Amino acid sequence: MSSGSDDLKDLYQEVVLEHSKRPRNFRVVEGANREAAGHNPLCGDQLSVTLKLEGDVIRDIGFQGQGCAISRASASLMTGAVKDKSKAEAEALFELVHKLVTEGPESVDMEALGKMAVLSGVSEFPARVKCASLAWHTMRAALEGRDEAVSTE
Amino acid sequence: MSAFDVQRVREDFPILRQEVRGRPLVYLDSAATAQKPQAVIDAIVRFYQHDNANVHRGVHVLSERATEAYEGARETVREFINARDAREIVFVRGTTEAINLVAQTYGRKNVGPGDEVLITHMEHHANIVPWRMLCEQTGATLRVIPVDDRGELVLDAVDALLTEKTRILAVTHVSNALGTVNPVKELTRKAHAKGIPVLVDGAQSVTHFPVDVRELGCDFYAFSGHKMFGPTGIGVLYGRLERLESMPPYQGGGDMILSVTMEKITYNRVPHRFEAGTPNLEGAVGLAAAIRYLRGLGMDAIAEHDRALMAYGTQVLESVPGLRLVGTAREKAGVLSFMLEDIHPHDVGTILDREGICIRTGHHCAQPVMQHFKVPATARASLALYNTREDVDALVRGLHKVREVFG
């Protein structure tokens, strides 16, 4: 078992901190045809996802809102990861990310995760799983055209 | 014990003797739930080992003992808050149930369309939602006393908000999110001058300073066992006898009735009228033990310890670069709520946890007051009688570590 300090380094990897401070695609997508809002009632985090779906492909995606470092970094990385991907590919990536943050890096194909692999430390922090997955749940709601707010509860 | 000796007090709490995450436990989350002294744990064990039986029913010796313990606990609570009569003490599950009871009995009977219920902007959800629900059920309107930037009630607004339409004023004694101590005696005086009853939410106050319901003059006072070093699932609704006697029953069931036929039910006297079903016996016994423990230490000595530790905590936290206290009322008790630069409180909480320090992060079930301060959440260190300056120093060291991680 790693010490508390090592766990922290795994959680707050530099890439995570960097994305949290300067999130990518922190904007409302122009001409978006899908959007959804998500919130985590436990901590009050709120974010919205807008995206432009062309046929089956996510041509553009952005997010806005407030949250902790983990939720902001996860949202920022997500927008980069699913852009120009098909709905099915985005869904598959979500499944992988979910497995990663709940079950740990041993349980998934890290290569398939790409940059999302930097969230591997989250699995040591059960209280933070919802932070990491909020943006993904919201993205999926947008893809499915559900307009009710997504909640992590 | 003549003077308050915090090191000796700590020895009474077995849970504090452990290490977590490889470090000595620093517990700064007592506003969420407080730890239990050995005396409370022993009282519950003793009850189960010797006295357990149902109350008010059996003809046998164990039932007699259990009844004596349960009704004895009621008397212990009465003394603790200086109620006139043990019949004014209703055992409930906690503060939340106490407030729901008043809303659904007193409220349903006395509040109608066009009436108003007055609360404050710093209430936690337990003292908002039951009133909101009552308003939806009756067509009444919820009015709110505003809060200023220090986190104090805007008292100038109170007179205008207490109108001939106001049916009840419900106010917290101490804010769980800000630590503000409200002038409930003055508020009660103002409300009573207009014939309006007052409910005080004492969930965060009874552990920090002496509470005397007769001196406050309030009509109802609600608090929970688990926040005052007793068990969970037990709490108290104090109600002035004439108020309680005028209220219809709450939940129906055994023990709240005198006789039942299929045609007619005669309800029991107060407080039993409000205690349907088998009560939380071991909870009441544990709560009484917690009260005896607090009285043994002395509520004045506890209040002095709290004041000194709050002053020290405020001073050292303000010295942390980038830290902003949320809630700077002149009268505060037990709670230090803060933001650290633009680092989200959740991240602060996780990093402190890795240092063995337990704090609360979030909106503390008080979302409206978070919205007032324009923050989604705060980090909250809450203090209790077993906390020391060393605990506060550990918190400050932890906050420096947070700043390090976030560079």
Side-chain angles (χ1 to χ4, degrees):
Chain A
M1 203 175 125
S2 55
S3 79
S5 189
D6 288 345
D7 281 356
L8 272 182
K9 278 188 195 136
D10 289 345
L11 181 68
Y12 293 111
Q13 295 185 36
E14 264 183 42
V15 178
V16 171
L17 290 173
E18 212 274 317
H19 272 265
S20 147
K21 281 178 194 150
R22 279 174 288 278
R24 319 294 193 267
N25 304 307
F26 193 76
R27 59 187 164 84
V28 176
V29 167
E30 225 172 283
N33 53 7
R34 295 291 170 92
E35 65 174 294
H39 80 292
N40 182 349
L42 192 72
C43 53
D45 285 359
Q46 288 187 317
L47 66 84
S48 64
V49 168
T50 47
L51 60 88
K52 196 171 175 179
L53 199 63
E54 273 179 22
D56 199 33
V57 177
I58 301 168
R59 281 291 170 223
D60 198 4
I61 178 165
F63 82 103
Q64 290 210 296
Q66 55 189 10
C68 62
I70 305 304
S71 75
R72 279 165 72 90
S74 176
S76 172
L77 287 157
M78 176 197 77
T79 56
V82 302
K83 203 169 164 183
D84 294 323
K85 295 273 196 322
S86 71
K87 275 167 78 168
E89 286 168 327
E91 286 275 353
L93 191 54
F94 175 39
E95 293 302 327
L96 273 180
V97 170
H98 194 256
K99 215 168 158 57
L100 173 74
V101 297
T102 51
E103 295 172 31
E106 310 76 37
S107 66
V108 286
D109 174 359
M110 292 295 275
E111 235 163 80
L113 273 163
K115 281 189 183 169
M116 297 309 303
V118 299
L119 291 179
S120 61
V122 173
S123 62
E124 291 292 323
F125 295 78
R128 307 305 297 276
V129 168
K130 287 173 180 172
C131 310
S133 54
L134 177 61
W136 288 85
H137 283 293
T138 312
M139 181 269 293
R140 189 158 69 172
L143 280 181
E144 291 169 0
R146 285 188 274 136
D147 53 7
E148 80 271 26
V150 177
S151 169
T152 55
E153 291 304 294
Chain B
M1 191 180 305
S2 53
F4 189 86
D5 181 346
V6 68
Q7 290 306 333
R8 273 187 60 186
V9 167
R10 288 179 68 80
E11 286 168 22
D12 296 332
F13 291 82
I15 204 168
L16 299 178
R17 287 177 213 144
Q18 65 182 302
E19 291 198 340
V20 292
R21 318 279 192 206
R23 292 181 171 81
L25 171 69
V26 176
Y27 189 75
L28 294 169
D29 196 19
S30 298
T33 198
Q35 300 303 346
K36 320 303 173 196
Q38 191 64 50
V40 168
I41 300 167
D42 288 345
I44 297 167
V45 171
R46 209 163 42 236
F47 178 77
Y48 277 136
Q49 285 176 337
H50 297 284
D51 304 325
N52 180 52
N54 213 325
V55 288
H56 301 151
R57 294 174 179 81
V59 292
H60 54 78
V61 62
L62 290 189
S63 181
E64 271 175 28
R65 278 194 222 153
T67 303
E68 202 177 306
Y70 183 66
E71 293 304 327
R74 201 187 303 279
E75 174 60 22
T76 305
V77 173
R78 183 203 68 74
E79 273 183 16
F80 182 60
I81 58 171
N82 196 29
R84 275 179 202 81
D85 192 310
R87 288 175 295 171
E88 295 179 312
I89 306 302
V90 181
F91 283 122
V92 288
R93 280 189 300 145
T95 306
T96 301
E97 187 174 58
I99 297 171
N100 276 281
L101 192 163
V102 176
Q104 290 301 313
T105 58
Y106 180 86
R108 288 294 278 267
K109 186 178 174 192
N110 295 290
V111 178
D115 288 342
E116 293 176 357
V117 172
L118 185 58
I119 63 170
T120 85
H121 207 94
M122 70 171 80
E123 300 309 317
H124 68 150
H125 296 166
N127 204 24
I128 300 173
V129 183
W131 303 115
R132 181 83 247 165
M133 287 167 68
L134 175 68
C135 287
E136 282 164 15
Q137 289 158 348
T138 60
T141 304
L142 193 67
R143 304 292 299 273
V144 182
I145 301 171
V147 170
D148 67 16
D149 289 341
R150 301 176 77 109
E152 293 180 358
L153 292 180
V154 181
L155 294 176
D156 291 348
V158 173
D159 290 326
L161 284 164
L162 287 167
T163 72
E164 71 283 356
K165 291 180 186 167
T166 313
R167 290 292 164 266
I168 191 163
L169 165 64
V171 55
T172 190
H173 203 163
V174 173
S175 156
N176 73 319
L178 307 172
T180 309
V181 181
N182 285 320
V184 292
K185 190 176 170 184
E186 187 188 340
L187 288 168
T188 301
R189 193 178 47 73
K190 279 175 186 282
H192 281 184
K194 296 185 178 178
I196 299 162
V198 177
L199 176 142
V200 178
D201 175 346
Q204 298 294 342
S205 50
V206 282
T207 56
H208 292 297
F209 47 76
V211 167
D212 181 329
V213 289
R214 273 194 269 181
E215 198 204 329
L216 294 175
C218 55
D219 299 83
F220 302 103
Y221 200 94
F223 55 99
S224 299
H226 75 101
K227 288 182 177 166
M228 52 185 296
F229 317 105
T232 48
I234 186 82
V236 172
L237 170 68
Y238 156 81
R240 288 163 70 103
L241 195 57
E242 58 274 27
R243 290 278 180 214
L244 291 180
E245 282 178 337
S246 74
M247 283 155 48
Y250 179 46
Q251 295 170 334
D255 223 27
M256 53 77 73
I257 41 76
L258 288 175
S259 72
V260 177
T261 66
M262 288 307 172
E263 289 76 35
K264 185 172 172 14
I265 292 168
T266 310
Y267 296 117
N268 205 339
R269 293 180 296 272
V270 296
H272 309 293
R273 187 193 299 165
F274 300 109
E275 295 178 359
T278 298
N280 182 353
L281 306 173
E282 68 279 22
V285 166
L287 176 60
I291 290 173
R292 282 194 295 276
Y293 180 77
L294 287 170
R295 289 171 71 107
L297 295 176
M299 286 310 297
D300 288 321
I302 291 167
E304 185 48 44
H305 174 71
D306 188 75
R307 260 194 299 276
L309 200 55
M310 279 293 288
Y312 180 72
T314 305
Q315 182 201 328
V316 296
L317 281 184
E318 280 176 340
S319 74
V320 176
L323 187 140
R324 173 169 74 98
L325 281 171
V326 178
T328 51
R330 282 159 289 193
E331 284 280 327
K332 280 177 70 174
V335 168
L336 294 160
S337 216
F338 59 89
M339 301 294 291
L340 187 62
E341 296 175 328
D342 55 356
I343 305 168
H344 193 281
H346 240 66
D347 298 309
V348 174
T350 289
I351 295 167
L352 290 178
D353 170 60
R354 256 32 196 188
E355 301 290 307
I357 304 166
C358 305
I359 63 157
R360 181 66 162 258
T361 66
H363 49 60
H364 319 300
C365 296
Q367 282 176 308
V369 77
M370 296 289 114
Q371 288 149 13
H372 172 77
F373 283 98
K374 298 186 175 60
V375 292
T378 70
R380 179 187 74 182
S382 53
L383 309 173
L385 47 83
Y386 40 64
N387 288 122
T388 60
R389 286 183 169 217
E390 289 74 29
D391 290 340
V392 177
D393 293 339
L395 171 66
V396 169
R397 280 196 303 278
L399 293 175
H400 285 294
K401 168 95 185 182
V402 174
R403 285 168 50 88
E404 236 171 74
V405 170
F406 275 78

